[in-house]
Amino acid sequence: MKRIVVLAMVATLMAGCSSVGSLRNSKPTAAYEGSGSVGDIASCISGAWGSKPVHLVSYQEYTGTSIEIHQTEDGPAVALVDIKPVSARTVATYYSNFDEDDSWYFQEVERCVDTTLPHE
């Protein structure tokens, strides 16, 4: 029985990884560039998206921050945003595989990139 549970957990984790990988291998839904810091833009996006009934997972990476949207706690990622510094700017790239209209999510990414001021 333990072996079945472990196999089910591994399969679930692998499905999550493959959904994120397939999202990043697809054409981005939207990309925005601004002057705010990665941390400030990520915080703004997390706050906005957190107001919706979805599960968010955030990863701090060497190259920036990624925030994933999962429709259920154990479900695969249906959208994500990668926020990275590029030269003196910050770029937020949104990828989606939502089954429904998700324009609100990427409009919030745009709003956060546009309204977040650089750290002084």
Side-chain angles (χ1 to χ4, degrees):
M1 182 67 172
K2 286 182 183 179
R3 185 177 183 162
I4 293 172
V5 171
V6 170
L7 289 174
M9 288 174 53
V10 169
T12 300
L13 289 173
M14 289 178 71
C17 292
S18 66
S19 70
V20 169
S22 66
L23 280 172
R24 282 198 182 97
N25 288 332
S26 66
K27 180 180 176 186
T29 303
Y32 306 101
E33 182 179 311
S35 58
S37 72
V38 170
D40 289 345
I41 293 171
S43 177
C44 179
I45 293 169
S46 290
W49 288 1
S51 70
K52 295 289 188 179
V54 294
H55 298 274
L56 301 180
V57 179
S58 181
Y59 297 100
Q60 299 288 3
E61 300 173 349
Y62 176 73
T63 57
T65 298
S66 292
I67 305 169
E68 299 174 5
I69 299 174
H70 300 255
Q71 289 182 318
T72 62
E73 188 174 351
D74 296 328
V78 293
L80 67 91
V81 63
D82 288 327
I83 309 157
K84 300 178 179 187
V86 178
S87 298
R89 310 288 283 166
T90 301
V91 175
T93 307
Y94 177 80
Y95 302 88
S96 175
N97 193 21
F98 260 100
D99 291 336
E100 57 202 49
D101 178 20
D102 65 335
S103 58
W104 181 87
Y105 291 96
F106 63 82
Q107 288 168 356
E108 285 302 301
V109 172
E110 180 180 30
R111 182 188 64 79
C112 288
V113 170
D114 287 346
T115 61
T116 304
L117 301 175
H119 252 8
E120 302 206 10

